[in-house]
Amino acid sequence: MNKNLGWFNLTSLVLGFAFLYLPILLLVVFSFNESKLVTVWAGFSTKWYVSMWANEGLMDAAWVTVRVGLLSATIATALGTLAALTLDRFHRFPGRTLFSGMVYAPLVMPEVITGLSLLLLFVAINFDRGFWTVTLAHTTLTMCFVAVVVQSRLVTFDKSLEEAAQDLGCPPVKTFFAITLPLILPAVVAGWMLAFTLSLDDLVIASFNTGPGATTLPIKIYSQVRLGVTPEINAICSIMIGIVAIGVIVASIATRRSELERDKAERAAFRVDG
């Protein structure tokens, strides 16, 4: 019975991963296809990667996407970390429920609603749509994810370390940068990587808030796919997959190191107490 159940679980797992990742693997494989027909294999070639670099439209969109991702992820990390500290350290203050709801609202809000509401805001304040509106929109989208990641680390944070530093005369601001931030840094880095990845991937919100000269790569790819998939699109998508994969690996390593350091500190404290 257990053996049959084990084979069933294994088969379900293999089929599930195949359903999720086999299309991605095929996209990467066909990005090295010699033929212009993306579904007909005609031999190995890297010419579409060379052609992709020569495509000014794709490269301009990629550069806009990278700039938006870097800037929005950085702003979102700063704001999300502050929001997580506020929610973790101050359990009672006027408007805490409203503040918490506003921080986490983008997690459950459909992207269409978020994009449309931001568009109406920019129109109402007469803010021209372009690079900065896309950046602000992506900051709004990703800040809540950073807050969740950092707050989950702060839940297990040993606040006695901060208290000890302040008892020794360390000011609160210096305590944060000398004690708190280094200990939660892996979570902050993981939040930044998650925010950057979400910004690279976003299509819906960016399409609502983009303007002249601010076409992101997902928008460019989507507009070209409607006319037919080309091998150049396979190539640029493969590069995006590689960037996202590297981000996930870095975030996982940072999280793992954070857990190991916490376990080491707990064992050291246990030895001292013993």
Side-chain angles (χ1 to χ4, degrees), residues 45-97:
S45 176
T46 58
K47 69 178 183 180
W48 301 116
Y49 285 87
V50 177
S51 177
M52 175 200 69
W53 289 109
N55 190 324
E56 293 184 1
L58 278 178
M59 289 298 100
D60 290 341
W63 176 234
V64 170
T65 302
V66 170
R67 287 191 296 148
V68 169
L70 292 174
L71 187 57
S72 64
T74 302
I75 298 174
T77 300
L79 296 178
T81 302
L82 292 176
L85 286 168
T86 301
L87 293 173
D88 181 74
R89 302 299 170 83
F90 304 99
H91 298 286
R92 293 183 180 179
F93 61 88
R96 186 184 189 281
T97 303

